[in-house]
Amino acid sequence: MARYLLGRVIGLIGVFIAVSIVAFLLMHSIPGGPFDEEKSPLPPAARANILRKYGLDRPLYIQYLRYMGSALHGDFGISFQNPTETVLQTIGRTWPVSLRLGGLTILIALPLGILLGIIAAVKQNTWIDYVTTFVSTLGLTVPNFVIATWLLLLFSVRLRWLPTGGWGGWKTWIMPVTALGLGPMALAARYTRSSLIEVMRADYIRTAHAKGLSGRRVIMRHALKNALIPLITILGPQVPNLVTGTIFVEVIFRVPGLGKFFVSSIYLRDYPMLMATMLLVALLWSATYLLSDILYTVVDPRVRLYGD
Amino acid sequence: MSTVANTPARVASDVQRKGEASLWRDARRRFFKNKLAVAALVVAVALILTAIFANVIAPASYDYSVIGDALQFPNRQHLLGTDSVGRDFLSRLIYGARISMIVGFSVQAIAVLIGVSLGMLAGLLGGWVDYLIMRCVEVLTAIPGILFALFLISVFGGGLRNVILAIALVGWIDLCRLTRAQFLTLREKDYVLAARSIGTSPFQIATRHLLPNALAPLIVAVTLGIPSAIFTEASLSFLGLGINDPLPSWGKMVADANSYIRVYWHLGLFPTLLIATTMLSFSFVGDGLRDALDPHLNK
């Protein structure tokens, strides 16, 4: 196990370095920077000074090494669009908003999805099952900004129950959380349903029924425990997915989170900010994959990671 | 070539061809029994036809604007109203289908070209080629696809061509993995051993024996890849980082609607309905194909 983990972590670091190099090279391969003539007309000497200050006059590999060196110390430079803040401060300011949005979404969407999945599995081929299937298909295939627009049209424009955007108070949370959560909820419902249906055919379930246990008890105590195992691998990667998902929801509902800030970084070609966000997401993404693999072996002793 | 009857290779390939024919016939029968899939196919075909004949169907051009007619609700002259610069909304939606289909199909074409050939190479050659390709795949999957596409577009700029390239650059990964996995299992089969034993070249084994047998899952993957590419394009354009004005993209139309949505509901409603319809119909066709081509899967 330890050896397997070590191998995985080393692999992760390798991937991480590759991602950072690719991102760094791509960003510096383009003509046009934040201190171009048309954006900020400066005397050549002043421009050279600024370029020197940000280290933009050095050869690329030196810039990269210097960047990664200070990044390891938690210094991601200064955001071009908010020169009064470091990148870390900007992320520290905006990320909690996205985290709260994502966290709320997970807390509501996953249990609800699992519940819907159980109901759909137990009441297979009834109207409840069909409605659940329809909603989960919608949640899985339709972009969340489409769902968000429908929510806006219904609850803000038509019914005038909820504000169209902003971030403050539970009323502003309802629509972003719903738009963001429909996808993960759908996924949880769909997998719980098919996994539970499969488990219900297992021998030990028949045994449990034969012992005379009630249907509810068989499902809650025997079937569900095993049916939820595959969910770990499917839902683990959903966590970082919420990070990218929030981009659209934050833009449409004007939530001042990291996602909205990321989009403005793209418009403004804010290299330090873009680079830091990419590294952050890459780290989060690979870490959750690793974690869900480990969790899988803990929950299901039949699975071995290091055998193969 | 035709004078030589019944060499082992020929018999083998005949048997295989017969097997295939019945596989496809069975699949077609199963697919057309699936009502949802057939209905979805009808909608998808209608959308494709709309895209092809957009210039015939659309009442006006997508970029013809009359400022005086701006922001009209649906009426007799403009069936679905007009947008903020007075362009006929119905026409823009119809041409939007064309953009979506162009993106969906060309992304998949590029993805098949890159993904299937790299997957074949990796699965067939193994060794360092496989290692190199799989590490590339790993690096590309370390970041969510849409984020990578966003990043590429922030570097190289938007526009139809760049959007297609940016999405395709991530879109080949699944096809590559799938082809590789198929090749790894299929190359252990007896008929491959038989083919090899009579001296068939690796290239012929790959194209004549392995690829046809790996075709079914690949077709499903490509079909499901089309809505996913359209999804990504709509998302990029929604952020203003995709298709550029005056070309109509449904995603961008939704974004533009956002500022007017309080009053002009039609600007938000119609493009979102079209995006949803497109995604659902293509996904259901893909699901139907999967069920039809692989009866062992699910159920």
Side-chain angles (χ1 to χ4, degrees):
Chain A
M1 186 74 180
R3 233 179 105 189
Y4 169 82
L5 276 184
L6 192 70
R8 279 290 295 265
V9 170
I10 290 175
L12 257 179
I13 294 172
V15 167
F16 203 64
I17 293 174
V19 168
S20 68
I21 292 177
V22 170
F24 196 83
L25 284 181
L26 274 175
M27 274 192 309
H28 287 262
S29 69
I30 23 159
F35 305 112
D36 275 0
E37 246 344 273
E38 78 271 20
K39 279 185 200 146
S40 48
L42 291 167
R47 222 180 65 217
N49 250 334
I50 290 180
L51 286 183
R52 192 158 57 240
K53 178 176 184 313
Y54 287 109
L56 294 173
D57 57 338
R58 309 290 293 278
L60 256 187
Y61 71 95
I62 302 260
Q63 283 189 40
Y64 172 75
L65 288 178
R66 270 175 52 169
Y67 175 81
M68 288 310 280
S70 39
L72 284 179
H73 294 101
D75 175 13
F76 291 91
I78 288 165
S79 155
F80 289 160
Q81 52 186 319
N82 279 12
T84 52
E85 268 183 334
T86 66
V87 166
L88 217 55
Q89 281 170 330
T90 310
I91 292 180
R93 183 166 54 83
T94 55
W95 207 25
V97 177
S98 301
L99 277 180
R100 169 174 285 186
L101 176 54
L104 259 176
T105 305
I106 293 177
L107 282 181
I108 295 171
L110 291 194
L112 201 64
I114 292 174
L115 188 71
L116 278 177
I118 297 172
I119 296 173
V122 174
K123 310 247 173 207
Q124 215 185 127
N125 299 325
T126 61
W127 65 270
I128 302 178
D129 187 18
Y130 295 137
V131 169
T132 309
T133 309
F134 179 74
V135 173
S136 30
T137 311
L138 209 64
L140 281 179
T141 45
V142 177
N144 61 25
F145 67 84
V146 167
I147 308 271
T149 307
W150 290 346
L151 291 173
L152 263 176
L153 280 170
L154 182 63
F155 292 111
S156 298
V157 179
R158 184 88 218 166
L159 300 170
R160 297 188 183 278
W161 286 351
L162 297 169
T164 54
W167 190 248
W170 61 273
K171 266 196 168 176
T172 58
W173 296 348
I174 295 176
M175 287 198 290
V177 168
T178 313
L180 194 59
L182 204 62
M185 190 198 79
L187 207 64
R190 179 174 280 200
Y191 276 93
T192 308
R193 178 184 179 275
S194 61
S195 165
L196 196 57
I197 288 174
E198 206 183 306
V199 168
M200 292 297 276
R201 292 202 199 110
D203 287 339
Y204 60 83
I205 297 296
R206 197 178 317 130
T207 312
H209 277 299
K211 279 197 309 189
L213 294 181
S214 70
R216 177 186 301 263
R217 215 176 146 85
V218 171
I219 289 170
M220 296 314 279
R221 293 284 290 274
H222 295 259
L224 208 55
K225 243 193 216 165
N226 289 292
L228 292 186
I229 290 174
L231 273 181
I232 295 172
T233 32
I234 294 142
L235 295 178
Q238 282 302 302
V239 178
N241 255 347
L242 286 176
V243 179
T244 49
T246 52
I247 293 178
F248 302 94
V249 173
E250 283 175 19
V251 166
I252 207 162
F253 292 116
R254 303 188 308 275
V255 177
L258 186 58
K260 195 160 183 280
F261 204 74
F262 180 73
V263 175
S264 63
S265 310
I266 294 174
Y267 294 140
L268 300 168
R269 285 191 176 154
D270 189 346
Y271 299 150
M273 194 59 212
L274 279 177
M275 190 75 191
T277 335
M278 291 296 269
L279 289 180
L280 189 73
V281 172
L283 189 69
L284 207 67
W285 182 260
S286 2
T288 27
Y289 265 107
L290 184 59
L291 262 179
S292 64
D293 279 1
I294 295 170
L295 209 60
Y296 209 96
T297 53
V298 175
V299 180
D300 188 349
R302 286 171 302 181
V303 177
R304 289 200 185 151
L305 292 172
Y306 42 96
D308 194 12
Chain B
M1 208 194 273
S2 58
T3 54
V4 187
N6 292 343
T7 61
R10 218 189 128 94
V11 173
S13 83
D14 273 358
V15 169
Q16 197 192 332
R17 203 162 295 150
K18 226 173 246 164
E20 258 174 50
S22 77
L23 167 75
W24 294 118
R25 208 182 317 125
D26 278 357
R28 199 185 317 144
R29 192 175 43 78
R30 275 196 294 269
F31 183 86
F32 282 105
K33 262 208 267 176
N34 182 345
K35 277 181 207 130
L36 184 63
V38 173
L41 183 67
V42 172
V43 177
V45 168
L47 281 166
I48 294 172
L49 290 178
T50 309
I52 296 173
F53 298 108
N55 44 347
V56 184
I57 308 167
S61 167
Y62 61 85
D63 58 355
Y64 178 70
S65 99
V66 180
I67 290 295
D69 289 349
L71 288 170
Q72 285 184 8
F73 285 108
N75 57 46
R76 197 158 292 177
Q77 198 198 345
H78 298 285
L79 287 177
L80 297 184
T82 57
D83 70 3
S84 58
V85 288
R87 296 176 294 205
D88 182 51
F89 209 50
L90 176 63
S91 308
R92 284 186 64 75
L93 288 167
I94 290 173
Y95 276 98
R98 184 177 272 184
I99 299 289
S100 292
M101 295 304 149
I102 289 176
V103 171
F105 282 90
S106 25
V107 163
Q108 282 310 298
I110 301 172
V112 166
L113 222 60
I114 305 177
V116 173
S117 19
L118 286 184
M120 274 168 72
L121 277 180
L124 209 60
L125 299 178
W128 66 268
V129 178
D130 183 31
Y131 184 83
L132 200 71
I133 293 175
M134 289 327 282
R135 290 298 86 77
C136 284
V137 165
E138 222 167 275
V139 169
L140 282 176
T141 42
I143 302 172
I146 182 122
L147 213 59
F148 196 73
L150 270 177
F151 187 70
L152 283 176
I153 285 173
S154 82
V155 171
F156 296 107
L160 186 57
R161 194 199 56 195
N162 282 1
V163 166
I164 291 172
L165 289 178
I167 303 174
L169 212 60
V170 197
W172 60 271
I173 291 170
D174 284 339
L175 287 174
C176 175
R177 276 210 194 118
L178 188 64
T179 314
R180 175 178 175 271
Q182 287 283 318
F183 269 42
L184 286 180
T185 28
L186 289 176
R187 77 175 179 188
E188 307 298 330
K189 297 267 163 141
D190 285 341
Y191 59 80
V192 175
L193 187 67
R196 202 178 294 141
S197 68
I198 56 168
T200 315
S201 73
F203 178 75
Q204 273 204 328
I205 289 182
T207 52
R208 289 279 185 78
H209 295 279
L210 295 177
L211 199 55
N213 284 296
L215 212 54
L218 281 177
I219 289 177
V220 175
V222 170
T223 315
L224 289 172
I226 292 172
S228 125
I230 295 176
F231 185 119
T232 314
E233 181 275 319
S235 306
L236 293 173
S237 299
F238 172 76
L239 294 179
L241 293 157
I243 310 296
N244 294 327
D245 229 21
L247 280 184
S249 151
W250 293 336
K252 193 156 62 63
M253 290 157 96
V254 179
D256 294 344
N258 205 9
S259 8
Y260 302 99
I261 205 163
R262 262 173 239 241
V263 184
Y264 302 101
W265 52 270
H266 63 287
L267 295 179
L269 185 62
F270 298 130
T272 48
L273 281 181
L274 273 171
I275 294 174
T277 311
T278 309
M279 306 300 307
L280 287 173
S281 61
F282 276 89
S283 306
F284 284 141
V285 171
D287 288 345
L289 273 178
R290 185 180 49 211
D291 293 344
L293 285 169
D294 190 353
H296 310 298
L297 216 77
N298 302 330
K299 287 165 215 176

